[in-house]
Structure formats: C-alpha cells, structure tokens
C-alpha cells in the first residue's frame, strides 16, 4: 500500500510540476523552489521514500492537492481546502492570475494575426505574390527566397541555385516585361536587361528606339522566380552600359571576347562595351514567335540607326561606312536595326507620290547581312527636340497648306502654332488636297506595305511602330521647347485650333452646357507650377464639374485619334506586329492633379486612372506599347530636380498594373 501511494504521489508530483510550467498559472517563491530542488535530488539518490518524507519535502498543502487528484472532492471541501492553502501561504506567497494572462495572450495573438493578415494582403495585391489563403510566415519566407534566386523545396529544404552570382538586383517592370540589372562579378557597374514574359505587349522605348523582340543565341541561365513568373537571368557580363536613344542596347565584342572600339562609328559609340568569355557564347536556338520570351534568357537587341541615315533626297548617306558598322553589329549577334521612315522625305513634294529609293537600298543591305528591321512610320517633324541632330520637316505640300490654313496644326491659348505634326482635329476633315489626315496616313502606310512586300514575306521586317503625335509619341505637344517650355514646367493645353474648338463646342452642347465650350483660363503657362495656378492646385478647378468635363473630352480626342490610325495600320500591315510609343510624363506625378500629364492628354489625376482607356484601345488592335521612361529612376530625379516632384518608377508601375488588367 505504501509503495502504491508512493507511486501515486511521485507521479502526481511530476504532473503537477509540468502543469505549473506549461500553464504558467502560479509563481512559486524562492524558498519553495529550493525545497523542490532538494526533493528532486533526494528522489534521484534513492527511489524508496516514505509518505512522511514526501510531506516534509513538498509541504502538507501540496501533498494534499496531489492526492486529491485521485479522489472525488465535493465543492464544499474544495472551498475549505482553498481557504486553508491561502491562509497557510501567508496570504501573498502565491499569485494566481489565469484570467488576466489569458486575456493578454488573446489580445497579443489577435494583434499578431491582424498584422500578418495586412502583410499578406499587401503582398498579394501589390507584390503579385502567389500566397495561399491561410499562408504563414514560412510561405512568405519561401516566396522571398525564391525571388532572391534560391531554390525552396516543398519540404522546406533550401539551397542556392547554380548561377547565384547573376541574381537580379533592380526591378522596373510590367506584367509582360521586367527590367532587371545583373551585377558583374568583378565590376560594380550594371548591365541593363529587359526580360519579357509570354504574350508580352509592354516594352520600354525612348526616342523612337527600344529593345525589341527577335531571335538570337542564348547562354546558360538560371530561372529566377519573381512573384508568380519565372524570369530568366542573363549570364554575368563585365563592362559598362550606355543606352542608345534611351533603351536600345548592344554589346560590342570581338570574336575572342576582346573589346571593339571605333571612335568614328556613331552606332558603336552608344553601344555597350563588354568583355565576354568564350564559354558564354552558345549555339543559336530554334526560332520563337516575336515578343514571346518564355523559357529563354535571351533578350533581343535592336540598334537605332542615326536619324539622318537617309537624306532629304531619299538617298542613303555613306553606304560603305554603314555597311562596315552593320557588319560589326552582326558579328556580335545583334538581332537587327530600327529606322525611321520619314513622311517629310518620302512624300515630300507632291501628294501620293512616294520615293522609297534610299530605304530600298538600306533594307537590301540589312537583308543581305541577315539582320531584321523595325520600321517607324514617322508622321512628325524631326528637329528641335532632345536627341534630334538633323532637321526633317513635314512634307512641303503640307507646309504650303499650313500657310493658308494654320489651324491644321496644334495651337495653344495664345494662338502659337506647333508645326511638329498635324492636329487631330483634321482626322476627318478633307483639308489636305481633298483627303483627311487619316486617309493621308493610310495611303502612306499602304504604299510602304506594297513597296516592301518581299521584306514582309521573308520576315525581315519584324515590327512596325506607328507614329501618333509629336516625336512619334501618343500625346499632345504640350511641352514644346520651341514655344519656350523648360523642364519641369506643366505645359499648356493644345486645343485652340478651330477644328478642336468645334469638337469641344459640340461636346459641350451635347452635355447641355454650351458655355463650357472653352479651354480653362486659369491653367497657367508652359513653365508654371501646379500650385501657382487655380486649375491645377490642390482642390483646383481640374476637379470641378467643368474641369472633369473638359479633361475627359481632351483625353478622349487623344484615344480616338490613336484608335482610328491603328485601325488602318492593322489593315495595312496585317500579319505583322504593330506598336506605338507612349510618352512617360513623370514630373509632377506626386501632386494631386498630375498637371503635366493632364496638358499632354493623359487624364490621370490621383483619383482617376488615365491609362486604362489607352490600354484597352491598344488591346483591341493587338498593338504593343513602347513606354519611354522605363529606364528612369525616381531617386535620380529627386537629386537633380527635387522641385519637380517626379516619380517615374511610380508611373511605370501604374502602367504595368493596367497592363495586368487589360
């Protein structure tokens, strides 16, 4: 019986100690802890102890509590025992606060879960992380590890990938295009790279140039998991980078990896000087569809040819020198070149008389070298803008019409005309020798398609970029340097020619407010700042009933113009990828009104998405988007012009988000 009671007592004692440690319901004083330690040492030294020794070591009250575990105790007896325990412990020797501790634990747990839920919601919404509904910290860590280039197995095993040295370190991307930079193992400088996912329609571009699709050789790579997409990374390259017309990049290396330099070559001056090991050159893979880079780390490279490669007589300038430069580009596996076909050169003197002779010679050279072509239908004037080193005006016969009818050009509030391109108000007006502006554009594109049919059939011409405004960009000429604009001025509205005013009047009457048929009179001038104007300041007229009506009409004219021209371009170039260039107006992006975007035709204040309608229209025509500020960084803009409140990266992410939706 004594042995049985001893077994019960010892077991109950151990269970009581475990319960006290796990639940944390009682706090023992120092003397009691010392007694328990002595009891444990005695218990280890000899397994045979008596009930009296157990009572002396642990205390009568404790022993009674332990024994009560194995017998029925009525509520009255339990209350008496609790009172005795409380009195024997001196009143304050023990503290029992289970209820307070539980409440605090619950509050801490609720607070922790709320923070976790907000973190997961932000990662899903803004970071595009593919996290399950009941994700925990392990899922988040695994997603971040995969983004950093690590391999995480389902059982949690984590190890670095084979090409850990080529991990992406910068990102400026879209749903369909990711712009990354790969660090060189021996140089702190970065090589800009654009990686594109399947069915991509978003691409960086600037000044008519851009990294464009094509087919070329690849090197060993490691697929990094960025967000929900596998993004391949390029092989490490040691060198420095320059951008050709903002985005076109070429790596200039010799057969054995030595650097090639030619101070007399305008094409090579703007290319990347690189040193590539022989082991990095691999065989050319099979052909892939344009703008589809799934499963390949290779980034197609197109080099922008000089603006004046064809002179005003439509003759090829220095064909021997150009051939030499193109051979060098071919030697380093450049995919092709990009060239402007200027309306002012081809249809210079007489309507519907086209001279393509110089372009024929150029295209023939490109085809013989087995390079590809991206051609820009340039319906704008060249000269006077950043990066323009030649002057190519609009056709002479158009200028003659403009002298008698200057309203064919965009006009500001002061009546100053802008001859860079034709006003969108004449898209349906027969003021160009019996033709509308849209008909003139279509006749030009159709003539090009017929003239170079063999190049389309052979796949030499891979893409057509359609010019839709000044500098070939889809925007109003709101910040013209010729009219005195300087960065970071907000620019001016360009809707004061008679044709656009007629359209505005018609829209106001349809709205039932004929007195709204006017432009805003408090929008400042070209170099004003938003807070200095009554229209663009915080809470200004841009958000009034009239302001919303005017800006909606102003931006809709832009979308309608692009819709009409791209419809005809798709008809003329059926079966060929078409693209358009969108200007990135990033200054004053951190203000409420986004004034510079509003004057350029992008109705994109902080409370409205101004690029959704453009993206929807481009999707309808299957047109790719070349965006002009992908390569810019917000930090650089803040250092150079902090007063501009610019945010190019924020603008890029907004356009990328629209591309995801549409």
């Amino acid at each position: 019986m004594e042995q049985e009671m001893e077994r019960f007592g010892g077991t109950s004692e151990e269970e009581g100690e475990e319960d006290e440690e796990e639940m944390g319901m009682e706090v023992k004083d120092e003397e009691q802890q010392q007694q328990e330690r002595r009891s444990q040492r005695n218990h280890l030294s000899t397994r045979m102890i008596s009930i009296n020794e157990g009572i002396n070591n642990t205390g009568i009250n404790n022993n009674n509590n332990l024994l009560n575990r194995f017998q029925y105790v009525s509520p009255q007896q339990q209350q008496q025992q609790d009172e005795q325990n409380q009195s024997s412990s001196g009143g304050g020797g023990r503290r029992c606060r289970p209820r307070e501790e539980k409440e605090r634990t619950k509050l801490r747990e609720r607070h922790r879960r709320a923070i976790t839920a907000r973190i997961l919601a932000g990662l899903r919404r803004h970071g595009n992380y593919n996290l399950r509904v009941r994700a925990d910290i392990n899922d988040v860590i695994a997603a971040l590890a995969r983004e950093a280039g690590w391999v995480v197995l389902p059982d949690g095993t984590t190890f670095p990938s084979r090409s850990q040295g080529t991990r992406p370190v910068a990102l400026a991307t879209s749903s369909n295009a990711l712009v990354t930079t790969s660090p060189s193992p021996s140089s702190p400088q970065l090589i800009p790279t654009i990686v594109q996912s399947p069915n991509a329609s978003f691409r960086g571009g600037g000044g008519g140039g851009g990294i464009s699709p094509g087919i070329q050789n690849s090197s060993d790579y490691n697929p990094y998991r960025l967000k929900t997409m596998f993004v391949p990374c390029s092989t490490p390259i040691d060198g420095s980078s320059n951008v050709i017309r903002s985005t076109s990049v070429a790596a200039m290396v010799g057969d054995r990896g030595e650097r090639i330099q030619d101070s007399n070559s305008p094409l090579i001056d703007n290319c990347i000087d690189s040193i590539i090991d022989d082991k990095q050159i691999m065989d050319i893979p099979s052909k892939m569809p344009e703008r589809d880079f799934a499963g390949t780390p290779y980034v197609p490279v197109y080099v922008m040819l000089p603006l004046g490669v064809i002179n005003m007589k439509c003759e090829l300038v220095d064909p021997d020198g150009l051939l030499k430069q193109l051979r060098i580009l071919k030697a380093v596996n450049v995919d092709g070149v990009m060239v402007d076909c200027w309306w002012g050169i081809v249809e210079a003197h007489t309507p519907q008389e086209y001279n393509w002779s110089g372009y024929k010679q150029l295209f023939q050279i490109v085809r013989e070298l087995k390079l590809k072509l991206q051609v820009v239908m340039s319906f704008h004037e060249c000269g006077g803008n950043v990066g323009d080193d030649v002057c190519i005006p609009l056709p002479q016969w158009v200028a003659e019409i403009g002298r008698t009818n200057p309203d064919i050009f965009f006009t500001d509030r002061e009546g100053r005309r802008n001859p860079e391109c034709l006003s969108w108000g004449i898209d349906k007006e027969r003021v160009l020798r019996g033709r509308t502006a849209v008909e003139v554009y279509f006749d030009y594109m159709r003539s090009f398609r017929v003239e170079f049919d063999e190049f389309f059939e052979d796949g030499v011409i891979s893409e057509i970029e359609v010019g839709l405004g000044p500098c070939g960009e889809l925007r109003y000429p709101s910040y013209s340097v010729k009219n005195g604009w300087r960065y970071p001025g907000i620019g001016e509205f360009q809707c004061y020619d008679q044709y656009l005013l007629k359209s505005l009047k018609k829209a106001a009457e349809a709205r039932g407010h004929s007195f709204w048929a006017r432009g805003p009179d408090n929008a400042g001038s070209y170099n004003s700042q938003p807070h200095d104007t009554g229209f663009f300041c915080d809470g200004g007229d841009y958000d009034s009933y009239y302001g919303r009506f005017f800006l909606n009409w102003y931006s809709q004219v832009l979308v309608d113009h692009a819709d009409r021209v791209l419809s005809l371009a798709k008809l003329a170039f059926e079966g060929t990828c078409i693209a358009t260039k969108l200007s990135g107006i990033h200054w004053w992006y951190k203000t409420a009104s986004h004034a510079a975007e509003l004057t350029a035709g992008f109705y994109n204040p902080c409370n409205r998405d101004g690029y959704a309608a453009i993206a929807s229209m481009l999707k309808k025509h299957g047109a790719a988007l070349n965006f002009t500020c992908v390569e810019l960084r917000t930090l650089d803009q803040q250092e150079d012009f902090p007063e501009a409140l610019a945010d190019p990266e924020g603008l890029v992410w907004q356009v990328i988000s629209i591309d995801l939706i549409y």
Side-chain angles (χ1 to χ4, degrees):
M1 183 69 178
E2 291 180 354
Q3 294 177 354
E4 205 170 56
M5 292 296 293
E6 178 186 2
R7 187 171 67 252
F8 287 160
T11 305
S12 301
E13 179 182 348
E14 293 173 357
E15 290 179 354
E17 291 174 357
E18 292 176 358
D19 290 340
E20 288 177 351
E21 292 176 356
E22 293 177 358
M23 299 298 294
M25 298 175 59
E26 296 182 354
V27 181
K28 297 183 178 181
D29 56 16
E30 184 177 356
E31 181 180 356
Q32 231 173 352
Q33 293 176 359
Q34 292 177 358
Q35 289 179 356
E36 288 178 353
R37 287 196 292 270
R38 286 197 299 270
S39 175
Q40 290 174 359
R41 287 196 298 269
N42 293 334
H43 183 72
L44 292 174
S45 62
T46 173
R47 301 292 296 181
M48 298 297 296
I49 61 176
S50 65
I51 297 177
N52 293 331
E53 290 174 342
I55 294 175
N56 292 332
N57 288 333
T58 61
I60 297 175
N61 294 329
N62 285 345
N63 191 53
N64 289 335
N65 291 335
L66 296 173
L67 292 174
N68 286 337
R69 285 174 172 263
F70 305 97
Q71 62 183 1
Y72 173 75
V73 180
S74 65
Q76 293 81 6
Q77 293 175 342
Q78 182 66 38
Q79 184 177 1
Q80 293 177 358
Q81 290 179 0
D82 292 341
E83 292 176 355
Q84 292 176 359
N85 291 339
Q86 185 175 3
S87 61
S88 64
S89 62
R94 293 177 181 269
R95 293 178 301 168
C96 183
R97 298 182 299 173
R99 191 168 297 175
E100 293 87 346
E101 290 291 340
K102 288 182 179 179
E103 291 297 328
R104 282 196 292 268
T105 301
K106 289 180 180 179
L107 290 175
R108 286 195 298 268
E109 183 65 18
R110 290 195 193 104
H111 183 61
R112 185 190 66 80
R113 289 181 179 178
I115 294 175
T116 303
R118 284 193 289 268
I119 292 174
L120 296 178
L123 290 174
R124 292 190 192 98
R125 180 178 179 182
H126 304 293
N128 199 25
Y129 284 87
N130 188 14
L131 299 174
R132 58 192 177 92
V133 177
R134 297 185 177 274
D136 56 15
I137 190 63
N138 292 335
D139 297 315
V140 177
I141 294 174
L144 295 175
R146 291 190 183 99
E147 180 180 359
W150 293 73
V151 177
V152 182
L153 299 181
D155 63 353
T157 304
T158 304
F159 52 88
S161 57
R162 291 182 299 172
S163 304
Q164 195 70 23
T166 61
R167 190 180 307 167
V169 298
L171 178 64
T173 186
S174 76
S175 66
N176 292 331
L178 298 176
V179 182
T180 63
T181 55
S182 301
S184 169
S186 60
S187 173
Q189 299 180 356
L190 303 176
I191 304 297
T193 306
I194 294 184
V195 182
Q196 207 155 346
S197 64
N199 302 323
S201 63
F202 177 86
R203 188 187 66 183
I211 296 182
S212 305
I215 298 91
Q216 194 51 276
N217 61 336
S218 62
S219 56
D220 191 17
Y221 74 102
N222 169 54
Y224 291 114
R225 182 164 180 78
L226 290 178
K227 308 298 186 279
T228 59
M229 293 178 290
F230 281 98
V231 179
C233 183
S234 59
T235 306
I237 298 177
D238 181 17
S240 60
S241 66
N242 294 315
V243 180
I244 299 178
R245 295 195 65 180
S246 300
T247 54
S248 296
V249 183
M252 309 305 299
V253 293
D255 294 336
R256 302 294 299 174
E258 69 276 13
R259 180 180 301 177
I260 296 177
Q261 293 183 348
D262 187 353
S263 59
N264 297 324
S265 172
L267 292 178
I268 300 177
D269 287 344
N270 291 328
C271 296
I272 297 179
D273 296 328
S274 306
I275 299 177
I276 303 179
D277 193 279
D278 289 342
K279 296 179 181 180
Q280 295 172 322
I281 306 299
M282 299 186 67
D283 295 334
I284 299 176
S286 58
K287 288 189 176 182
M288 301 178 61
E290 296 292 343
R291 289 184 178 268
D292 185 358
F293 307 114
T296 174
Y298 181 73
V299 180
V301 177
Y302 281 71
V303 177
M304 187 69 197
L305 292 181
L307 297 175
V309 67
I310 304 292
N311 61 23
M312 290 301 298
K313 298 179 180 180
C314 203
E315 298 173 344
L316 182 61
V317 178
D318 190 14
D320 294 334
L322 179 65
L323 178 60
K324 177 182 177 182
Q325 296 172 28
L326 292 177
R327 283 175 176 170
I328 295 175
L329 295 180
K330 178 62 179 178
V332 295
N333 295 323
V334 169
D335 290 88
V337 294
M338 192 175 195
V339 61
D340 288 272
C341 281
W342 296 100
W343 181 34
I345 293 178
V346 177
E347 197 181 0
H349 304 291
T350 307
Q352 294 183 282
E353 288 189 7
Y354 308 101
N355 180 9
W356 300 102
S357 58
Y359 290 103
K360 283 184 179 180
Q361 186 179 359
L362 171 62
F363 290 7
Q364 185 63 35
I365 294 175
V366 171
R367 180 167 63 178
E368 290 175 355
L369 292 175
K370 296 183 179 180
L371 293 171
K372 288 193 173 184
L373 279 164
Q374 288 183 336
V375 183
V376 183
M377 299 286 103
S378 299
F379 298 110
H380 60 283
E381 178 187 79
C382 179
N385 292 304
V386 178
D388 294 345
D389 54 2
V390 297
C391 180
I392 304 174
L394 295 183
Q396 181 180 350
W397 62 272
V398 174
E400 292 176 356
I401 296 174
R403 281 191 285 270
T404 58
N405 183 13
D407 285 295
I408 67 173
F409 302 122
F410 284 106
T411 308
D412 63 17
R413 185 174 182 82
E414 300 298 326
R416 287 168 291 197
R417 314 290 182 172
N418 191 320
E420 286 187 69
C421 59
L422 298 179
S423 169
W424 302 332
I426 65 171
D427 279 358
K428 296 182 179 181
E429 300 288 340
R430 296 189 176 277
V431 296
L432 301 176
R433 303 283 178 88
R435 293 186 297 167
T436 66
V438 172
E439 290 174 344
V440 170
Y441 303 146
F442 178 66
D443 290 341
Y444 181 86
M445 291 186 290
R446 183 173 56 182
S447 173
F448 178 85
R449 179 63 177 82
V450 172
E451 194 71 29
F452 298 100
D453 180 70
E454 56 181 320
F455 293 91
F456 284 94
E457 296 297 330
D458 295 341
V460 177
I461 298 177
S462 61
E463 182 178 275
I464 299 293
E465 181 181 296
V466 183
L468 296 174
C471 298
E473 300 168 347
L474 178 57
R475 64 174 175 86
Y476 287 89
S478 58
Y479 51 95
S480 174
V481 176
K482 291 181 179 179
N483 288 339
W485 174 84
R486 295 294 181 269
Y487 183 85
I490 60 175
E492 289 192 21
F493 292 110
Q494 305 289 315
C495 60
Y496 293 94
D497 61 82
Q498 63 170 325
Y499 301 104
L500 287 180
L501 287 176
K502 178 182 176 182
S503 173
L504 177 59
K505 181 179 179 181
K506 183 178 179 180
E509 291 175 349
R511 184 69 178 270
H513 299 286
S514 57
F515 58 93
W516 281 356
R518 57 177 177 83
D521 55 5
N522 58 348
S525 60
Y526 285 102
N527 295 312
S528 297
Q529 297 186 1
H531 54 271
D532 294 332
T533 69
F535 191 82
F536 298 114
C537 65
D538 292 348
D541 291 343
Y542 78 92
D543 204 26
S544 64
Y545 287 111
Y546 159 73
R548 290 195 291 269
F549 159 77
F550 173 79
L551 292 173
N552 186 71
W553 166 82
Y554 191 72
S555 61
Q556 191 61 45
V557 171
L558 176 145
V559 175
D560 291 342
H561 167 73
D563 189 20
R564 286 189 288 266
V565 177
L566 291 179
S567 298
L568 297 177
K570 186 177 181 181
L571 180 62
F573 304 116
E574 185 177 4
T576 303
C577 179
I578 61 174
T580 188
K581 185 166 60 172
L582 188 67
S583 181
I585 313 297
H586 54 81
W587 54 101
W588 305 117
Y589 188 83
K590 292 183 179 180
T591 62
S593 63
H594 293 212
E597 292 175 85
L598 298 186
T599 58
F602 307 131
Y603 189 9
N604 189 54
C606 63
N607 59 350
R608 188 182 187 276
D609 194 339
Y611 298 97
I614 297 175
S616 179
M617 178 270 300
L618 293 178
K619 182 181 180 181
K620 181 178 73 173
H621 300 296
L625 172 63
N626 297 340
F627 203 47
T628 63
C629 70
V630 171
E631 73 279 2
L632 300 181
R633 297 291 176 267
T634 299
L635 183 60
D636 297 337
Q637 299 297 317
Q638 292 175 347
E639 291 177 354
D640 297 336
F641 295 93
E643 71 278 6
L645 298 178
D647 188 8
E649 293 180 60
L651 175 60
V652 169
W653 278 112
Q654 180 184 353
V655 176
I656 290 174
S657 300
I658 298 168
D659 196 37
L660 278 169
I661 298 172
Y662 289 89

